[in-house]
Amino acid sequence: MDNAARKKLEETTRWEPGETEARIFAEWMDGGYFHPEATGSAEENYSVAIPPPNVTGVLHMGHALNGSMQDALVRMNRMSGKNTLWILGMDHAGIATQTVVEKRLKSEGTSRHEIGREAFTERVWEWKEEFGGSIREQYKRLGASVDYERERFTLDDGYARAVRKIFTSLFEKGYIYRDHYMVNWDPGSQSAISDLEVVNEEMTDTLFSVDYPVEGSDRVLTVATVRPETMMADTAVAVNPNDPRYSDLIGSHCILPLVGRRLPIISDDHVDIEFGTGALKITPGHDVNDFEIGRRHGLEEISVIGEDGRMTAMTGERFEGLTVAEAQVEVVKALKEEGVLSGEEEYIHSVPFSERSGERIEPLISLQWFCRMDELAAPAIAAVENGEVNITPGQWKRVYLDWMRGIRPWCVSRQLWWGHRIPVWYRGDETYVGETEPEGEGWIQDEDVLDTWFSSAIWPFATLGWPDETAELEAFYPTDFLTTAREILFLWVARMVMTGIEFAGGVPFRDVYVHSVIQARDGRRMSKSLGTGIDPVGEIDEHGADALRFGLLAMSSTQDVRYSDAKVQQGRDLATKLWNASRLILLNTEAPEDRTVPANPIALEDRWILSRLESTIETVTRLINEYDFAHAAQELYSFVFSDLCDWYLEIAKPRIYDADPEIAQVLLGTLDRTLALAHPVMPFVTEAIWEYHPYREGHLVVHPFPECDDLRISESVEAEVGEAIALTRKLRGWRDMAGVPPKIPLRATGDPQTVPEFVSRLGRIDIGAHDGEVVATVSGFGILESDELDMEAVTGRINARRAKTEAELNKIESKLGNAGFVENAPPEVVAEEREKAGRLQAELAELG
């Protein structure tokens, strides 16, 4: 380290991430470390395709969490010498982006319909260029080492060509077809929407009982419904074939109130005998389950609600033009007038709403483009069953397989203007499907666009240049890892597996990790509208990117967890501790001519820290590779904070200040490997420290990742020093309990040769063959009275502690003596109580 660097390090007494992170990231970018050459094969390289954030988006905690996970893996593999690519890109997010721009047009006093499709599309592109890059810059703030030079967009020209080829190919194979089918219709956006864009809310409605007269008798068939406004589209009444109440009516007819239409009474296993009256009105045009029942029984499909969410002319003059809510009021009134409304009761149920418009979803039969999924699903099921694709945690493998085995046709068309326009053209009775526009005049392209998830389904290989045979595909497909939220396991992950196998020659990734959801601090979901959202960039501004990254990894698990400020603060504390410890080492250690760390150092503490380091390297590396990021973060924290800083450096300080020749090799070698180990989790502070390390040759981001050296691990050394540290802690704990100030040395009887030298030094105690009265025993060492001690005060505190401990022990022993507790309490609770009793008994023995 030259004089200027030494002076700067001496002056920089605190880790200040805000002053350093931008400079370091710029250096990484200038170095081109994130932009690998497309060489080698996917088997020897490492690649990850980022789940593409919406172009409308800003960084939220979900992005920050999965970004931190991906970056830890990407950085570790890059440092391990693998040619590593982290693919960056944005999703055009059809309905989300269109909604944003439509709101802007509304604020300007116009609408997309007034300006026309072409002008509207131009406005969306303008908006994308103006605001679409914000999340890219926020990823940089997080420290994400994605390939910013290869950024893709799901509507760029090359990607659009790939989408058209996929659609055309699926059509030619007979998988894509056009049909009238039940869809989630959003009256607000005037489009079919995906299941992901549907939010189910618990609502309290009224369950109406309506009497349907049985033809040719004085009997009535009473049905229960929360949607009487749809009854004018009824085409049957269904009962369960095993319901004895109605077995004699199956095959006969009843009369639809208000309309007078004859309805067949049919039997179907779907009908729940316990729900309502056990008789179900079947409305194939306005209910998903009824639609399936109707198709099974060949029922007519009638629609009485239009795409605008209002009643159609088929409902008659009284109801036509009413909203669904208004129509329900009028229909109930009409049923009362007719004398067929026989009951009303409160009913709580789940109701679907559009996430985008907020409108209640109307299940409607609509002419849409669909993709048959059975043939595509079969190999994607096999890929997960045989382990080609591993899904972690294991419960999500079962969920994936259950869904795939019951897969239904996918509605791939959307009634929007922003997105991939369906590559289908019409001219009279002619239909043309192709990758390019047909020749000749008079062709009109289909107005609809493809579901956003259709283009997202080819993300891992389209981003690498497919359908061209590119060097990137050869080098980086299939990718190695995908982390995702559980709600898009089917909508995105399963579809990528299907298209990857069908079009790219194999599965798109080897491992899928379904990460937990980080909830708000109070346990609610994070939401801007609820005021529960937490801005990751704000957390970075306050604590630094390393603190947030560490905190998110440490709080992640297989279960949803509340956002923990304590974990982020733990990350900030770790960065500060590592900075301060590194300053101590670097400012007090000269680089030795021979950098080789001795195979068997003389000092016990040196052998211990080297063993602990290698054990930690093995553990952290294994945990990251197993995607157990939380335990990996905590292992790293424990080693740096406790083993290295709190103990080793304190033990070794006299030798550091005395310039012990051997300790320089141990200190600098340990720091080198520790910084490299911590870098994937905390890249900024480790890179900043590395700038001052005398062994530095280039940036830490491409420094070799440490591999565990098993030969340096010694269980006996770790046990010996571990026991000495435990003794030191007990001696310090006794001081605190007895109120003895650290400056007052203690004397104790015992053999000083049985413990390392640092126990006496750090415990501030003189162990030897001393005379005097023993006032307490700590791990076999008798602490003696002293003129410097206020023995009356010490004795008082010891007696108070003894009385408290005895009371706690008596309470636990009473509980354990209760046969009812021991027999009925969970075994782990009983075991915990017994462990507490053992600890308290040991403490009493030492108190004397």
Side-chain angles (χ1 to χ4, degrees), residues 8 20 23-24 27 686-693 696:
K8 183 179 178 182
T20 312
R23 174 183 61 79
I24 286 177
E27 290 181 10
T686 51
E687 188 74 77
I689 295 168
W690 183 244
E691 292 176 341
Y692 298 98
H693 200 294
R696 183 179 189 268

Side-chain angles (χ1 to χ4, degrees), residues 14 93 268 296 391 420 509 573 617 649 660 777 825:
R14 296 181 58 192
D268 196 280
R296 284 198 293 273
I391 300 177
H420 292 276
F509 28 69
D573 292 344
I617 289 170
L649 292 181
D660 182 318
T777 302

Side-chain angles (χ1 to χ4, degrees), residues 654-704:
R655 296 170 57 220
I656 295 173
Y657 294 139
D658 290 343
D660 182 318
E662 190 172 80
I663 201 171
Q665 296 167 319
V666 175
L667 283 172
L668 293 174
T670 297
L671 182 59
D672 178 332
R673 291 171 71 76
T674 300
L675 293 176
L677 177 65
H679 181 80
V681 175
M682 309 181 79
F684 287 108
V685 67
T686 51
E687 188 74 77
I689 295 168
W690 183 244
E691 292 176 341
Y692 298 98
H693 200 294
Y695 297 173
R696 183 179 189 268
E697 295 177 1
H699 285 87
L700 188 65
V701 68
V702 287
H703 184 74

Side-chain angles (χ1 to χ4, degrees), residues 55 59 68 114 161 178 212 226 327 335 343 351 466 473 526 553 646 690 770 796 827 830:
V55 70
L59 196 73
S68 298
E114 289 184 20
R161 182 164 66 92
R178 203 179 191 205
Y212 286 43
V226 293
L335 291 172
V351 177
W466 189 94
L473 271 171
M526 287 197 188
L553 293 177
D646 285 353
W690 183 244
H770 304 299
V830 176

